[in-house]
Amino acid sequence: MTTATTNIAARAVDAWKVYGSGEAQVIALRGVDVELEAGHFTAIMGPSGSGKSTLMHCLAGLDALTRGQAFIGETQITGLSDSGLTKLRRDRVGFIFQQFNLLPTLTAEENILLPLSIAGRKPDPDWYKTVITTVGLGDRLGHRPSQLSGGQQQRVACARALVAKPEVIFADEPTGNLDSRSGAEVLGFLRNSVRDFGQTIVMVTHDPNAASYADRVIFLADGGIVDEMLEPTAEGVLDKLKNLDVTAGGA
Amino acid sequence: MLRASLKSLFSRKLRLTLAIVAIVLGVSFLSGAFVLTDSLGARFERLFTSINQNVDVQVALSDDGQDADPTPRITQAQIDAMAALPGARSVSGDVSAVGVIPFDREDGKPATTSGAPQIGGGVLGDDPFALVQLADGRWPSTDDEIVITRYTANQTHSATGDRLRVFLPEVNEAREFTITGTAVYDGDRDSLAGETLILFEEGFAQRTFYGQEGLFSGAYLGARDGVTQEQLREQVAPIVPDGFEAKTGEQANEDAASEVQAGLSAITTYFFGPFAIVALLVGIFLIFNTFNILVAQRASELALFRAMGASWGQVTGSVLIEAVLVGVVGSTLGLLAGIGLGLGGSAALTSLIGAQLPGAGITVSATPVILAYVVGILVTVVSAFVPAIRASSVPPLAAMREVNRPDKPLKALTIVGLVFAVPGIALLILGLVGSSLTPLLFGSLLTFLGVVILSPLLTRPLAGVIGRVVGWGMSGRLGVRNALRNPRRTAVTAAALMIGVTLVSAASVLGESFTRTIDQTINQSVGAEVIIQTNTTGGPPGEIGFPDRATEQVRAVPGVDQVVPLYVSIEARVDNAAPPFGGTFATDDLAVMRDMFSMKAVEGDLRTLQPGEFVADENTFDSRGWELGQSVPIQLDKGAEQQYRLVGVYESTPIWTDTLVLPKQAVAGFAGPLALQGYVSLDDGADTDAVVDGVERVMADYPLVTVGDRSALLDQFDSFIDIALGIIYVLLGVAILIALLGILNTLLLSIFERTRELGLLRAVGLNRRGVMRMVGTESVVMAVFGCLLGIILGVGLGAALSSALIERDFLTVIAIPWVSLIVFVVVAAVAGVLAALWPAWRAARLNVLQAIAYE
């Protein structure tokens, strides 16, 4: 669906998100403008309360902006009905969450095919084989989530997001609940899917090491974009974050 | 600790409300039965008080006198002697009989009441006790004059001056009288309780009811000023004739009222009892499940208590305190509902009687109140016991993090279930082989409990199959998987429905078997084309029915071939033991009866019986251990015990099992001389309708007698079974209602627990309809699972009971009512959908973001 004239997979224009009112009012996003390129691995970082998760939720059609617009490709998602958003998520977006990512009643294979089953579509057999081979779950496909390790579960979740070939995959702290080795496996896998298959991935994380797998890191603080970094390294990201904490703490 | 558990109690009002509903229903049926009985009883007590106003001493037949033959009477001389007593101000001899039935002047049909007596009495002039007063006209002074009450006049569409046809008992014929006046009761009331009353000239009444003038069936005395009821009673007592006793007016009222109340209590118990039992039984499952759910939801809260040092006992106690509170609230509401039920029931019954029973408001004695609370609280606490123990086993660690507590293996459950089911099935088989009912019933109960306990094991195989049928599409499949993921929870939820369905399926099988059996038996073995029957609510057989003279008239109707009149005694004691269950019969010619009913001789001969001879069916013969030619003592309703010689044994069939047939001469010892039923066969080529008309004309004088062809008889049997099944279907409705709440409860819990899963499903593109379908499918699987278990169990039990009855010749076939069973499944599925509506709506409205957001 991405048009030839632009290679922007998702963008936000003057995005505002306000929770509550009066004394209890919290402004999570203050007029954010951001464009996320297709075929790239973008990480969104920032301290707690910076609005990074809110930005991702609004871009993914899970939450609605208070003001401004969000787009997936050229489709404006702001103002879509619940069924419109559902259809959008089903057909054009993939998700990877931090935890409780799989349905315990389904086998690994059924979990992977869940979005396609819901949409009533058949998987492309070649692509399915490729995905399975990439995540390395060949002999575990018949297992239930409770019989898999945390890393294996998250790889199943990655496979689920990939198999439907969505325009963009949103990953919310995908390594938050994993040990460092499993985390590295999952991140490597995500990066490879961008390099080898041209998948677009947007990842929210607070882990500089995870962010170093991305092509580009966007830094948020106090509901606004404060900086960005291309071809990041873990050390570089960490330094940026320290600065942010200082400025945020000082403000 | 108490404070903490109270606080958490109020925060979960909704879920507890569902549990309370079960208690409310059960307790309301229970207390309603008592309130209704007491309130009606109070009304009757007022009624008797008003009947006996101004009466200080009543002389009436004693228990012995009622059984004596001939019935003792009081003479005019004895009445005069009572009048001469120093304490007596006035005396009135009682001349009365029941079964005096007037005919409606408009349609010529008998004007019957719905249960209230139809009384005839004798009067000389004004009632000395002023209970009945003339409203217009004058008292009767000749044999063909009567006075009727205003209610009777309304019922028969007649007025003073009209001629009215009245059926007279004892002489058993209808005659015409001139109405010389109408009467009302004290206070200008048309009737006391919907009864009809016809007053004859006293001498005529005595001759008609007692055979000669100057006889009375009792006496009423009024005391002089300054003489108490007890003093007058003591004066009367020495001169009371044999077979009579003197009671004070107060005592007489009390005795009469308590007799009525005993009868009422039997009716209300039989009617409300099953409802209360089913509601409470199903309620146990609902409450058990609710508390399990609450404990599961509160795991972290309970763990926090434990972590802060609350003891094992305190945690268990906190759950039990909740149970007690739920029980108290449920019992209170149930009691109030029960009082409402009693009020409504008493109003409904009063209007059914169609009369002005004196109002006495509503009577709530201590019994229903105590019972309501004891039963309500006990049921709740017992049901909550296991969940309470489970609550205490929550590890303190659960406060800190999600502790995964896997489902306990089902092994222990299996063993316990088998401990019930195996002996249960053994007893069932024993009962079937030995054709004895006690092991059969115990076996059924144990098997039932066993299956309830084993039902979690059956969840995967059985509900899996159901799921394959109803689980369409991805959301359907997910719903099925959800139903299967916690077998215990699904099974307990389904068990609530299973109870009701088991009862109803078993009853349906029995009902269908009875209907088929009766149809077959009557069509194959009853040779009568026209059947004469008597409405047995009108009195005991013998006192109601038609006399021999009517039988002779029927024999003379053109087209009639043979007539078999059947005289029935239900109280004959045979061989010093209980009366035969099927009844003791007499007829004028056994040979004709044998042909009419295709009776087959097993031993001896079925010929016309001579005095002192009898025949019995094979079951009676075997079970009483008789031999052909043996003499057996038989004590009939009246007269001395007599020896009868067994001359024949006939094959037992559903209409002739546990029965005796005596010769016509024995009817002298029956409660009365009337035949209860008549079976008429026709000449070849005779027109059935014409004969029915002819017989109807003969029977027109006998108010309780009806005439019909064979299909009318079948319809009558079928309608009995339909009424019984109707009550059972209402029972099913109650059980389904409570089971629905159980499903609702379970679904709400499941949705709560699976919030994140729902969020994930919504995030990856499942729309609201899909979510609702998923929840609905889970619900339907649970409901149909419970229904199928109930049907399997119920049909099994019904068939077992039926085959035991076949063994005893009450039935000939086992019939499975397939259509009804399919309807049950459909109803269960619909119920499942209904139960899912609200939970599904909630699940669909779930905020996706909140569902997947993590702390």
Side-chain angles (χ1 to χ4, degrees):
Chain A
M1 289 282 275
T2 314
T3 54
T5 53
T6 171
N7 58 348
I8 302 303
R11 65 194 162 100
V13 180
D14 190 25
W16 286 77
K17 182 68 185 176
V18 183
Y19 294 107
S21 60
E23 292 271 317
Q25 195 177 57
V26 176
I27 303 177
L29 297 177
R30 304 172 183 267
V32 173
D33 287 291
V34 69
E35 294 191 335
L36 304 168
E37 296 137 287
H40 280 68
F41 187 175
T42 311
I44 302 176
M45 292 205 76
S48 289
S50 61
K52 59 185 192 298
S53 286
T54 306
L55 178 62
M56 192 201 86
H57 290 150
C58 290
L59 281 171
L62 290 170
D63 204 354
L65 288 171
T66 312
R67 211 170 79 206
Q69 292 107 41
F71 296 85
I72 295 282
E74 284 306 299
T75 311
Q76 182 175 339
I77 61 173
T78 320
L80 279 181
S81 67
D82 181 78
S83 60
L85 285 174
T86 304
K87 202 166 170 338
L88 175 104
R89 291 197 300 262
R90 192 177 75 193
D91 298 335
R92 298 171 63 183
V93 177
F95 287 99
I96 301 166
F97 299 112
Q98 179 182 2
Q99 55 179 352
F100 301 106
N101 225 335
L102 304 176
L103 287 191
T105 53
L106 303 182
T107 62
E109 181 171 23
E110 287 167 327
N111 265 296
I112 291 171
L113 294 175
L114 181 66
L116 290 173
S117 306
I118 290 173
R121 285 191 279 156
K122 287 259 171 286
D124 170 356
D126 291 339
W127 175 237
Y128 175 66
K129 225 172 275 167
T130 312
V131 171
I132 296 300
T133 321
T134 321
V135 292
L137 280 166
D139 57 336
R140 304 234 133 207
L141 285 177
H143 287 56
R144 294 281 165 100
S146 57
Q147 296 162 309
L148 299 175
S149 72
Q152 286 168 332
Q153 288 189 35
Q154 202 59 307
R155 277 189 278 154
V156 171
C158 294
R160 182 185 63 205
L162 276 173
V163 80
K165 288 190 184 167
E167 285 172 36
V168 50
I169 291 175
F170 291 98
D172 194 354
E173 303 273 13
T175 56
N177 265 16
L178 300 179
D179 60 69
S180 55
R181 200 171 66 88
S182 307
E185 274 173 20
V186 166
L187 288 166
F189 169 69
L190 289 179
R191 186 176 56 193
N192 290 345
S193 66
V194 174
R195 282 199 192 144
D196 302 345
F197 310 123
Q199 180 64 54
T200 311
I201 296 178
V202 178
M203 174 176 75
V204 164
T205 184
H206 64 269
D207 175 7
N209 201 35
S212 70
Y213 283 79
D215 301 322
R216 173 188 176 203
V217 181
I218 296 171
F219 295 92
L220 254 73
D222 276 340
I225 294 177
V226 290
D227 205 346
E228 72 170 308
M229 185 187 271
L230 293 174
E231 303 300 327
T233 59
E235 292 76 25
V237 172
L238 196 59
D239 287 343
K240 270 269 179 352
L241 279 177
K242 278 180 185 154
N243 289 334
L244 281 180
D245 276 344
V246 171
T247 42
Chain B
M1 197 70 202
L2 177 65
R3 246 179 123 75
S5 52
L6 279 183
K7 283 227 166 110
S8 68
L9 181 70
F10 289 118
S11 62
R12 292 182 309 279
K13 288 184 291 281
L14 169 74
R15 219 172 283 296
L16 289 170
T17 306
L18 296 174
I20 286 173
V21 169
I23 293 292
V24 170
L25 279 174
V27 167
S28 67
F29 287 129
L30 198 68
S31 53
F34 280 91
V35 173
L36 180 59
T37 311
D38 291 346
S39 302
L40 283 178
R43 281 168 171 240
F44 275 99
E45 201 165 334
R46 293 259 310 247
L47 170 68
F48 290 116
T49 310
S50 66
I51 293 175
N52 285 342
Q53 64 175 343
N54 309 327
V55 172
D56 292 310
V57 171
Q58 178 188 319
V59 177
L61 282 173
S62 62
D63 288 345
D64 287 345
Q66 278 169 2
D67 292 340
D69 182 46
T71 312
R73 303 287 178 209
I74 298 178
T75 63
Q76 185 66 52
Q78 286 163 330
I79 296 280
D80 293 343
M82 291 178 202
L85 289 170
R89 175 178 51 80
S90 58
V91 176
S92 161
D94 179 27
V95 179
S96 64
V98 291
V100 178
I101 303 166
F103 289 82
D104 192 332
R105 275 174 56 86
E106 260 179 17
D107 58 11
K109 296 213 168 102
T112 50
T113 60
S114 37
Q118 302 202 275
I119 310 166
V123 285
L124 280 176
D126 283 343
D127 176 8
F129 294 97
L131 175 61
V132 179
Q133 297 145 8
L134 270 183
D136 63 66
R138 58 171 177 83
W139 292 112
S141 57
T142 67
D143 282 2
D144 83 333
E145 290 178 347
I146 53 171
V147 161
I148 61 177
T149 54
R150 197 188 287 152
Y151 180 76
T152 315
N154 293 339
Q155 294 297 304
T156 57
H157 303 97
S158 59
T160 305
D162 288 341
R163 297 279 285 171
L164 186 66
R165 225 154 70 87
V166 178
F167 175 79
L168 302 171
E170 304 299 329
V171 294
N172 296 314
E173 60 178 50
R175 283 192 213 159
E176 276 207 350
F177 298 86
T178 302
I179 303 169
T180 61
T182 36
V184 291
Y185 290 93
D186 186 39
D188 200 37
R189 282 160 53 196
D190 292 355
S191 88
L192 291 171
E195 78 292 345
T196 60
L197 174 64
I198 298 169
L199 296 165
F200 304 89
E201 190 274 322
E202 189 173 82
F204 173 78
Q206 287 169 329
R207 268 180 281 129
T208 308
F209 302 152
Y210 309 145
Q212 76 181 78
E213 284 193 30
L215 291 181
F216 299 87
S217 58
Y220 302 104
L221 290 86
R224 281 185 197 285
D225 288 348
V227 179
T228 65
Q229 291 193 344
E230 183 54 28
Q231 285 167 338
L232 180 59
R233 195 194 66 80
E234 280 167 11
Q235 289 180 12
V236 177
I239 60 165
V240 165
D242 280 350
F244 285 87
E245 63 183 337
K247 282 180 188 173
T248 61
E250 280 170 19
Q251 184 67 44
N253 293 342
E254 228 168 80
D255 290 355
S258 73
E259 200 174 307
V260 170
Q261 195 154 358
L264 285 173
S265 143
I267 295 169
T268 49
T269 308
Y270 279 116
F271 188 75
F272 287 108
F275 285 91
I277 290 170
V278 166
L280 289 173
L281 211 60
V282 178
I284 286 176
F285 283 88
L286 181 57
I287 295 162
F288 173 76
N289 215 13
T290 306
F291 273 87
N292 258 339
I293 288 168
L294 291 177
V295 167
Q297 282 190 351
R298 287 172 61 201
S300 61
E301 183 187 328
L302 292 169
L304 192 64
F305 284 148
R306 292 278 279 141
M308 291 186 313
S311 75
W312 180 89
Q314 275 173 313
V315 171
T316 310
S318 82
V319 175
L320 287 180
I321 285 170
E322 279 196 36
V324 171
L325 281 171
V326 167
V328 168
V329 173
S331 301
T332 308
L333 293 175
L335 185 62
L336 291 176
I339 292 170
L341 208 62
L343 200 67
S346 133
L349 278 179
T350 309
S351 76
L352 191 74
I353 295 170
Q356 314 91 339
L357 259 187
I362 199 83
T363 313
V364 183
S365 63
T367 318
V369 176
I370 294 170
L371 209 63
Y373 283 101
V374 168
V375 169
I377 295 171
L378 207 66
V379 164
T380 323
V381 171
V382 166
S383 315
F385 197 72
V386 172
I389 298 289
R390 195 166 298 169
S392 67
S393 69
V394 173
L397 205 59
M400 268 59 88
R401 59 184 175 85
E402 197 91 9
V403 175
N404 211 355
R405 293 207 296 159
D407 235 18
K408 273 181 281 178
L410 299 169
K411 195 171 152 199
L413 209 65
T414 313
I415 294 168
V416 177
L418 289 176
V419 163
F420 280 98
V422 169
I425 291 169
L427 275 174
L428 265 179
I429 294 170
L430 196 73
L432 286 177
V433 173
S435 80
S436 55
L437 232 43
T438 320
L440 205 59
L441 289 175
F442 274 103
S444 308
L445 187 71
L446 285 178
T447 310
F448 181 77
L449 287 175
V451 173
V452 168
I453 297 168
L454 289 174
S455 56
L457 284 177
L458 302 171
T459 308
R460 275 192 219 281
L462 192 53
V465 172
I466 299 164
R468 237 165 266 161
V469 179
V470 298
W472 311 304
M474 193 61 206
S475 39
R477 282 208 301 281
L478 287 170
V480 174
R481 297 273 177 94
N482 281 338
L484 296 182
R485 72 201 272 185
N486 193 336
R488 273 166 202 264
R489 189 185 291 171
T490 300
V492 170
T493 309
L497 187 60
M498 174 181 113
I499 295 171
V501 176
T502 302
L503 284 177
V504 179
S505 309
S508 298
V509 170
L510 277 177
E512 182 80 4
S513 301
F514 265 110
T515 310
R516 281 269 200 94
T517 298
I518 297 280
D519 281 11
Q520 280 185 5
T521 313
I522 288 182
N523 280 326
Q524 285 167 12
S525 74
V526 178
E529 296 299 330
V530 177
I531 291 141
I532 306 164
Q533 297 205 79
T534 307
N535 178 0
T536 46
T537 56
E543 292 181 20
I544 57 162
F546 53 95
D548 294 348
R549 131 179 119 252
T551 308
E552 293 312 318
Q553 286 171 314
V554 170
R555 288 198 164 113
V557 170
V560 170
D561 178 25
Q562 296 280 6
V563 180
V564 175
L566 279 185
Y567 306 83
V568 181
S569 163
I570 46 175
E571 294 201 348
R573 284 180 63 80
V574 177
D575 212 1
N576 300 312
F581 182 79
T584 304
F585 295 87
T587 190
D588 46 11
D589 192 340
L590 180 61
V592 178
M593 178 174 165
R594 175 197 65 206
D595 296 341
M596 186 77 83
F597 292 103
S598 321
M599 295 162 88
K600 292 188 189 66
V602 179
E603 288 200 44
D605 208 0
L606 301 179
R607 54 174 168 73
T608 311
L609 293 172
Q610 300 305 310
E613 292 181 337
F614 83 106
V615 291
D617 75 288
E618 200 180 357
N619 284 344
T620 316
F621 178 75
D622 289 342
S623 67
R624 306 226 183 196
W626 289 333
E627 279 170 39
L628 198 66
Q630 182 182 349
S631 281
V632 174
I634 297 178
Q635 166 68 61
L636 296 173
D637 305 52
K638 294 187 292 194
E641 190 175 77
Q642 216 187 314
Q643 296 288 329
Y644 283 83
R645 200 165 61 86
L646 181 67
V647 298
V649 177
Y650 49 89
E651 205 176 69
S652 299
T653 68
I655 51 175
W656 293 119
T657 183
D658 210 359
T659 51
L660 306 179
V661 182
L662 300 173
K664 175 77 193 334
Q665 289 77 9
V667 173
F670 284 13
L674 304 182
L676 192 72
Q677 297 174 330
Y679 292 83
V680 181
S681 65
L682 307 187
D683 292 332
D684 287 343
D687 176 19
T688 310
D689 291 344
V691 177
V692 168
D693 285 349
V695 178
E696 253 173 0
R697 267 194 296 280
V698 173
M699 294 298 166
D701 278 352
Y702 309 102
L704 300 169
V705 178
T706 56
V707 179
D709 58 11
R710 203 186 330 197
S711 66
L713 181 71
L714 284 176
D715 288 348
Q716 195 189 340
F717 275 116
D718 291 352
S719 73
F720 281 136
I721 291 166
D722 288 347
I723 289 170
L725 284 181
I727 292 174
I728 287 173
Y729 287 148
V730 177
L731 211 61
L732 176 70
V734 172
I736 284 186
L737 183 72
I738 300 177
L740 270 184
L741 296 176
I743 293 175
L744 183 75
N745 221 350
T746 302
L747 290 176
L748 286 177
L749 169 71
S750 301
I751 289 166
F752 172 85
E753 284 181 346
R754 299 173 198 154
T755 305
R756 283 173 191 284
E757 286 173 36
L758 284 167
L760 175 71
L761 281 167
R762 294 280 283 130
V764 300
L766 191 65
N767 57 20
R768 286 190 172 148
R769 277 217 354 241
V771 170
M772 290 181 81
R773 263 193 45 205
M774 182 177 84
V775 176
T777 306
E778 181 177 358
S779 177
V780 169
V781 168
M782 286 196 286
V784 173
F785 171 57
C787 181
L788 281 185
L789 270 188
I791 285 180
I792 292 169
L793 209 53
V795 168
L797 296 183
L801 282 173
S802 298
S803 68
L805 290 170
I806 286 177
E807 206 54 44
R808 295 181 150 205
D809 291 307
F810 285 111
L811 287 178
T812 54
V813 290
I814 299 175
I816 311 286
W818 293 111
V819 177
S820 309
L821 297 183
I822 291 168
V823 170
F824 294 165
V825 177
V826 174
V827 167
V830 172
V833 172
L834 288 179
L837 281 181
W838 186 46
W841 186 82
R842 267 180 58 150
R845 292 276 135 187
L846 206 71
N847 183 322
V848 181
L849 198 61
Q850 277 177 10
I852 53 166
Y854 47 86
E855 295 78 25

